[in-house]
Amino acid sequence: MLTNDQLSQWDRENFFHPSTHLAQHARGESPSRIVTGGDGVFIEDRDGNRLLDGFAGLYCVNVGYGRTEIQDAIAAQARELAYYHAYVGHGTEASITLSKMVLDRAPSNMSKVYFGLGGSDANETNIKLVWYYNNILGRPEKKKIISRWRGYHGSGLMTGSLTGLAGFHKKFDLPLSQVKHTTAPDYFRRDDLNQTEAQFVAHCVSELEALIEREGADTIAAFIGEPVLGTGGLVPPPAGYWEAIQKVLKRHDILMIADEVVTGFGRLGTMFGSDHYGIEADIITIAKGLTSAYAPLSGSIISDKVWKVLEQGTDENGPIGHGWTYSAHPIGAAAGVANLNLIDSMDLVDNAGKMGAYFNKAMADAVGGHAHVGDVRGEGLLCAVEFVEDKSDRTFYDSSKKIGPQLAAALLKRNVIARAMPQGDIIGFAPPLCLSKTEADSIVLSMADSIKEVLG
Ligand code: PLP
């Protein structure tokens, strides 16, 4: 390994990091870390720190680090055939096997899976397919997409537009005009504090209906949403939300895209978030948990209803004009097959449900009563703690106080990685699905200590 100083210098001089303050990084003013290894829920860095990764990378290393089963599958695939494309009917044993494994696990109305590389490109694929679908059905006006404020769907041109977070729009000339945002189903952050949860759901529904009315249902093609809001703050939906929203979508013949990049393959204690909340999606986006990030791979799972129209489209127009060089990359597919087998053999979906319930309760018991903890929420192995200056009237801290980042830094001192979610003073946890009770307890203890250090 190169000497530490030399690597740091090369990093500052050459490496354009995503989601980073570029100027501060280049000047060496912001923290950086060079990661060298990992096993189970832990990562190691070049300075010899061993850190409990309470966010599984970017909620993606679901089986945990260092799994030889996946490493060996990747190596074997690389030796046998590192690459061949999937265009015009080509495939490999790994890509064909993985598509069957995905469909075997998906809701029963699903028909086919298209493989991409990451969540953003999968959602780009989805929107193109939705537009194609409505063109084939002779409804060229029905093209707008409804997304939610605080939703996260990627950072491409279309997907950055779907993402309902200002930081992904500002100075990028986004969102594109075809995207319309509606209310975030975030009960804790409701405008009217007197609203009950049921009244808040009714409010979300009426806002959606008003948007559809304003735009015209015949101009709206699809609604996209994460079963649980992720990057927007790890917010499970209020009770009855998905049932009520889907009624509106059905009434207006609007397709439902469930973005399961985070929730797919077990994070909520069910194989898909759609199973968890009774979402009947027309298209499901998958990525992260598909390979546990051992290799880049994403997918768009297409329902029978949409697939039939796509087939009709190619009968009328010839082969579909959509594809990436690396679609269904054999190494990604081999990682996916080994990963899904490991999720089964380690019983990780079940562990996510049981350990998630334990972890969320332990967190709420340990810190929920603190004067500045406004909300402790979660589902499966997602957990968030949101901080307020004054609990009685839910006054948020001024963002300049950087309470969230201070807490994340305090956790890091205790060798625990958590994510200071950017949309408020929110500390998010999404550990690998193999989390044990001892590891859950140690995160909770570190969180309680960190709160004491930063907020008293
Ligand atoms: N959709 C959701 C729900 C996500 O959380 C993410 C990434 O965090 C994406 C899409 C984009 O995935 P990627 O970063 O792989 O492009």
Side-chain angles (χ1 to χ4, degrees):
M1 178 143 206
L2 291 163
T3 63
N4 293 347
D5 290 344
Q6 193 171 6
L7 264 192
S8 293
Q9 189 187 337
W10 286 358
D11 180 30
R12 284 197 303 280
E13 288 176 357
N14 302 292
F15 192 172
F16 184 158
H17 290 263
S19 286
T20 294
H21 190 306
L22 303 179
Q24 283 179 357
H25 185 78
R27 290 192 297 261
E29 293 168 3
S30 53
S32 62
R33 184 181 305 284
I34 298 171
V35 183
T36 52
D39 71 289
V41 302
F42 294 94
I43 62 162
E44 280 143 37
D45 68 18
R46 62 164 184 171
D47 301 320
N49 295 307
R50 183 171 151 85
L51 306 166
L52 197 168
D53 185 1
F55 216 82
L58 290 173
Y59 24 37
C60 53
V61 188
N62 286 357
V63 295
Y65 295 90
R67 300 292 174 207
T68 50
E69 294 87 340
I70 309 180
Q71 295 161 354
D72 292 346
I74 289 172
Q77 184 66 50
R79 273 194 297 272
E80 182 185 307
L81 178 73
Y83 174 75
Y84 201 73
H85 67 78
Y87 281 36
V88 284
H90 290 81
T92 58
E93 183 177 333
S95 59
I96 295 166
T97 304
L98 185 61
S99 53
K100 172 153 174 46
M101 290 176 79
V102 168
L103 265 298
D104 285 348
R105 287 159 177 73
S108 59
N109 66 322
M110 292 292 150
S111 173
K112 302 285 182 295
V113 56
Y114 172 89
F115 289 113
L117 294 168
S120 298
D121 71 66
N123 278 327
E124 297 283 339
T125 293
N126 296 343
I127 304 308
K128 274 186 76 184
L129 295 182
V130 164
W131 286 355
Y132 183 94
Y133 170 90
N134 276 332
N135 285 332
I136 297 305
L137 291 180
R139 329 191 275 198
E141 299 303 314
K142 204 167 167 64
K143 294 287 166 53
K144 292 175 196 160
I145 313 291
I146 298 179
S147 171
R148 286 99 46 90
W149 293 117
R150 299 177 85 85
Y152 187 79
H153 303 291
S155 61
L157 287 176
M158 172 48 79
T159 53
S161 300
L162 297 173
T163 290
L165 302 172
F168 287 80
H169 298 162
K170 201 173 152 194
K171 306 290 181 199
F172 284 115
D173 296 347
L174 298 179
L176 299 177
S177 61
Q178 295 97 331
V179 175
K180 305 291 164 194
H181 292 98
T182 190
T183 315
D186 185 345
Y187 180 61
F188 180 67
R189 285 189 164 249
R190 67 200 176 280
D191 291 332
D192 177 358
L193 285 176
N194 293 319
Q195 262 169 358
T196 63
E197 203 167 311
Q199 286 167 338
F200 176 66
V201 169
H203 168 72
C204 293
V205 167
S206 78
E207 289 287 303
L208 175 63
E209 277 175 331
L211 173 61
I212 295 170
E213 174 79 16
R214 266 195 318 276
E215 300 292 331
D218 53 350
T219 73
I220 299 173
F223 179 101
I224 186 167
E226 305 149 85
V228 173
L229 282 171
T231 305
L234 302 184
V235 192
Y241 172 82
W242 279 117
E243 196 185 343
I245 292 292
Q246 287 184 98
K247 271 193 195 137
V248 178
L249 303 180
K250 287 219 167 83
R251 191 159 1 103
H252 295 292
D253 195 10
I254 294 170
L255 294 174
M256 171 72 212
I257 304 171
D259 185 340
E260 298 241 24
V261 165
V262 169
T263 52
F265 305 105
R267 183 152 291 280
L268 301 184
T270 46
M271 190 54 79
F272 286 92
S274 294
D275 306 324
H276 199 80
Y277 291 112
I279 300 171
E280 291 170 29
D282 297 294
I283 298 179
I284 295 178
T285 322
I286 51 175
K288 303 181 188 273
L290 175 60
T291 61
S292 289
Y294 276 67
L297 194 75
S298 64
S300 300
I301 317 180
I302 311 295
S303 63
D304 290 316
K305 172 178 159 182
V306 174
W307 179 256
K308 282 199 181 80
V309 177
L310 300 184
E311 279 195 351
Q312 181 192 333
T314 54
D315 276 340
E316 292 169 5
N317 298 280
I320 195 144
H322 184 75
W324 323 132
T325 299
Y326 297 138
S327 289
H329 194 287
I331 289 179
V337 170
N339 172 62
L340 295 189
N341 281 329
L342 201 54
I343 288 175
D344 288 349
S345 64
M346 292 176 74
D347 216 4
L348 291 183
V349 180
D350 191 57
N351 193 58
K354 290 187 179 136
M355 197 51 65
Y358 174 80
F359 179 50
N360 271 291
K361 181 172 183 312
M363 188 66 82
D365 288 349
V367 308
H370 190 278
H372 296 293
V373 170
D375 196 24
V376 183
R377 55 179 179 254
E379 196 63 51
L381 273 172
L382 291 175
C383 173
V385 184
E386 181 153 5
F387 294 84
V388 289
E389 181 144 35
D390 188 340
K391 223 162 160 165
S392 64
D393 58 359
R394 202 207 48 189
T395 308
F396 295 109
Y397 284 104
D398 191 283
S399 59
S400 64
K401 292 192 176 160
K402 295 194 180 303
I403 299 297
Q406 283 189 59
L407 284 159
L411 277 156
L412 207 50
K413 278 204 302 200
R414 292 162 176 82
N415 292 333
V416 172
I417 298 176
R419 189 165 177 198
M421 314 295 292
Q423 314 309 319
D425 293 303
I426 303 167
I427 294 295
F429 298 96
L433 307 188
C434 57
L435 189 78
S436 69
K437 191 164 170 292
T438 313
E439 290 156 353
D441 288 342
S442 104
I443 298 177
V444 170
L445 194 65
S446 300
M447 183 64 176
D449 281 354
S450 300
I451 295 174
K452 206 180 265 172
E453 178 189 319
V454 174
L455 298 170

mmCIF file of all heavy atoms in Angstrom, residues 252-268:
data_model
loop_
_atom_site.group_PDB
_atom_site.id
_atom_site.type_symbol
_atom_site.label_atom_id
_atom_site.label_comp_id
_atom_site.label_asym_id
_atom_site.label_seq_id
_atom_site.Cartn_x
_atom_site.Cartn_y
_atom_site.Cartn_z
ATOM 1 N N HIS A 252 -57.508 6.893 -11.881
ATOM 2 C CA HIS A 252 -57.068 7.757 -12.983
ATOM 3 C C HIS A 252 -56.161 7.045 -13.973
ATOM 4 O O HIS A 252 -55.533 7.695 -14.798
ATOM 5 C CB HIS A 252 -56.361 8.994 -12.410
ATOM 6 C CG HIS A 252 -57.277 9.880 -11.621
ATOM 7 N ND1 HIS A 252 -58.308 10.600 -12.192
ATOM 8 C CD2 HIS A 252 -57.333 10.154 -10.292
ATOM 9 C CE1 HIS A 252 -58.949 11.279 -11.261
ATOM 10 N NE2 HIS A 252 -58.382 11.027 -10.095
ATOM 11 N N ASP A 253 -56.086 5.716 -13.856
ATOM 12 C CA ASP A 253 -55.269 4.926 -14.785
ATOM 13 C C ASP A 253 -53.823 5.447 -14.826
ATOM 14 O O ASP A 253 -53.256 5.696 -15.889
ATOM 15 C CB ASP A 253 -55.909 4.965 -16.190
ATOM 16 C CG ASP A 253 -55.329 3.893 -17.096
ATOM 17 O OD1 ASP A 253 -54.595 3.027 -16.599
ATOM 18 O OD2 ASP A 253 -55.605 3.947 -18.312
ATOM 19 N N ILE A 254 -53.269 5.612 -13.632
ATOM 20 C CA ILE A 254 -51.879 6.074 -13.492
ATOM 21 C C ILE A 254 -51.049 4.888 -13.000
ATOM 22 O O ILE A 254 -51.415 4.245 -12.006
ATOM 23 C CB ILE A 254 -51.815 7.259 -12.493
ATOM 24 C CG1 ILE A 254 -52.558 8.465 -13.080
ATOM 25 C CG2 ILE A 254 -50.370 7.614 -12.136
ATOM 26 C CD1 ILE A 254 -52.771 9.612 -12.103
ATOM 27 N N LEU A 255 -49.951 4.598 -13.693
ATOM 28 C CA LEU A 255 -49.119 3.453 -13.308
ATOM 29 C C LEU A 255 -48.393 3.731 -11.994
ATOM 30 O O LEU A 255 -48.079 4.884 -11.678
ATOM 31 C CB LEU A 255 -48.080 3.152 -14.396
ATOM 32 C CG LEU A 255 -48.609 2.670 -15.747
ATOM 33 C CD1 LEU A 255 -47.463 2.565 -16.755
ATOM 34 C CD2 LEU A 255 -49.335 1.330 -15.623
ATOM 35 N N MET A 256 -48.132 2.656 -11.262
ATOM 36 C CA MET A 256 -47.417 2.759 -9.981
ATOM 37 C C MET A 256 -46.021 2.161 -10.128
ATOM 38 O O MET A 256 -45.872 0.991 -10.476
ATOM 39 C CB MET A 256 -48.220 1.997 -8.918
ATOM 40 C CG MET A 256 -47.528 1.820 -7.589
ATOM 41 S SD MET A 256 -47.439 3.352 -6.648
ATOM 42 C CE MET A 256 -45.883 3.098 -5.781
ATOM 43 N N ILE A 257 -45.011 2.999 -9.890
ATOM 44 C CA ILE A 257 -43.627 2.501 -9.879
ATOM 45 C C ILE A 257 -43.172 2.469 -8.425
ATOM 46 O O ILE A 257 -43.108 3.508 -7.762
ATOM 47 C CB ILE A 257 -42.678 3.416 -10.681
ATOM 48 C CG1 ILE A 257 -43.189 3.584 -12.123
ATOM 49 C CG2 ILE A 257 -41.249 2.864 -10.668
ATOM 50 C CD1 ILE A 257 -42.424 4.651 -12.913
ATOM 51 N N ALA A 258 -42.902 1.274 -7.916
ATOM 52 C CA ALA A 258 -42.384 1.160 -6.546
ATOM 53 C C ALA A 258 -40.863 1.151 -6.630
ATOM 54 O O ALA A 258 -40.277 0.226 -7.197
ATOM 55 C CB ALA A 258 -42.892 -0.123 -5.901
ATOM 56 N N ASP A 259 -40.239 2.186 -6.079
ATOM 57 C CA ASP A 259 -38.781 2.256 -6.095
ATOM 58 C C ASP A 259 -38.272 1.507 -4.865
ATOM 59 O O ASP A 259 -38.247 2.032 -3.750
ATOM 60 C CB ASP A 259 -38.315 3.717 -6.093
ATOM 61 C CG ASP A 259 -36.802 3.824 -6.234
ATOM 62 O OD1 ASP A 259 -36.112 2.824 -5.962
ATOM 63 O OD2 ASP A 259 -36.318 4.909 -6.606
ATOM 64 N N GLU A 260 -37.866 0.256 -5.113
ATOM 65 C CA GLU A 260 -37.449 -0.633 -4.022
ATOM 66 C C GLU A 260 -35.935 -0.792 -3.981
ATOM 67 O O GLU A 260 -35.430 -1.839 -3.574
ATOM 68 C CB GLU A 260 -38.122 -2.000 -4.206
ATOM 69 C CG GLU A 260 -39.643 -1.935 -4.143
ATOM 70 C CD GLU A 260 -40.213 -2.773 -3.015
ATOM 71 O OE1 GLU A 260 -39.488 -3.027 -2.038
ATOM 72 O OE2 GLU A 260 -41.386 -3.154 -3.132
ATOM 73 N N VAL A 261 -35.239 0.259 -4.422
ATOM 74 C CA VAL A 261 -33.775 0.195 -4.424
ATOM 75 C C VAL A 261 -33.245 -0.056 -3.001
ATOM 76 O O VAL A 261 -32.297 -0.820 -2.813
ATOM 77 C CB VAL A 261 -33.190 1.484 -5.050
ATOM 78 C CG1 VAL A 261 -31.713 1.636 -4.754
ATOM 79 C CG2 VAL A 261 -33.426 1.471 -6.557
ATOM 80 N N VAL A 262 -33.892 0.558 -2.016
ATOM 81 C CA VAL A 262 -33.480 0.340 -0.624
ATOM 82 C C VAL A 262 -34.236 -0.837 -0.002
ATOM 83 O O VAL A 262 -33.662 -1.651 0.732
ATOM 84 C CB VAL A 262 -33.715 1.619 0.213
ATOM 85 C CG1 VAL A 262 -33.546 1.349 1.705
ATOM 86 C CG2 VAL A 262 -32.748 2.714 -0.232
ATOM 87 N N THR A 263 -35.539 -0.936 -0.298
ATOM 88 C CA THR A 263 -36.375 -1.892 0.439
ATOM 89 C C THR A 263 -36.390 -3.293 -0.177
ATOM 90 O O THR A 263 -36.819 -4.242 0.481
ATOM 91 C CB THR A 263 -37.815 -1.353 0.538
ATOM 92 O OG1 THR A 263 -38.257 -0.991 -0.788
ATOM 93 C CG2 THR A 263 -37.894 -0.144 1.434
ATOM 94 N N GLY A 264 -35.917 -3.424 -1.424
ATOM 95 C CA GLY A 264 -35.933 -4.726 -2.081
ATOM 96 C C GLY A 264 -34.991 -5.724 -1.427
ATOM 97 O O GLY A 264 -33.923 -5.349 -0.952
ATOM 98 N N PHE A 265 -35.396 -6.971 -1.366
ATOM 99 C CA PHE A 265 -34.579 -8.089 -0.873
ATOM 100 C C PHE A 265 -34.332 -8.036 0.630
ATOM 101 O O PHE A 265 -33.247 -8.315 1.103
ATOM 102 C CB PHE A 265 -33.269 -8.214 -1.673
ATOM 103 C CG PHE A 265 -33.533 -8.335 -3.141
ATOM 104 C CD1 PHE A 265 -33.304 -7.271 -3.997
ATOM 105 C CD2 PHE A 265 -34.097 -9.492 -3.670
ATOM 106 C CE1 PHE A 265 -33.604 -7.353 -5.349
ATOM 107 C CE2 PHE A 265 -34.393 -9.587 -5.024
ATOM 108 C CZ PHE A 265 -34.152 -8.521 -5.864
ATOM 109 N N GLY A 266 -35.368 -7.636 1.349
ATOM 110 C CA GLY A 266 -35.384 -7.969 2.771
ATOM 111 C C GLY A 266 -35.287 -6.878 3.800
ATOM 112 O O GLY A 266 -35.505 -7.141 4.978
ATOM 113 N N ARG A 267 -34.968 -5.644 3.419
ATOM 114 C CA ARG A 267 -34.654 -4.650 4.455
ATOM 115 C C ARG A 267 -35.797 -4.421 5.444
ATOM 116 O O ARG A 267 -35.577 -4.130 6.619
ATOM 117 C CB ARG A 267 -34.196 -3.319 3.838
ATOM 118 C CG ARG A 267 -33.788 -2.312 4.918
ATOM 119 C CD ARG A 267 -32.760 -1.314 4.491
ATOM 120 N NE ARG A 267 -31.453 -1.845 4.248
ATOM 121 C CZ ARG A 267 -30.548 -2.134 5.199
ATOM 122 N NH1 ARG A 267 -30.829 -1.959 6.482
ATOM 123 N NH2 ARG A 267 -29.365 -2.603 4.865
ATOM 124 N N LEU A 268 -37.041 -4.563 4.978
ATOM 125 C CA LEU A 268 -38.161 -4.299 5.893
ATOM 126 C C LEU A 268 -38.645 -5.575 6.605
ATOM 127 O O LEU A 268 -39.652 -5.556 7.313
ATOM 128 C CB LEU A 268 -39.336 -3.665 5.140
ATOM 129 C CG LEU A 268 -39.045 -2.342 4.419
ATOM 130 C CD1 LEU A 268 -40.310 -1.780 3.803
ATOM 131 C CD2 LEU A 268 -38.417 -1.315 5.369
#
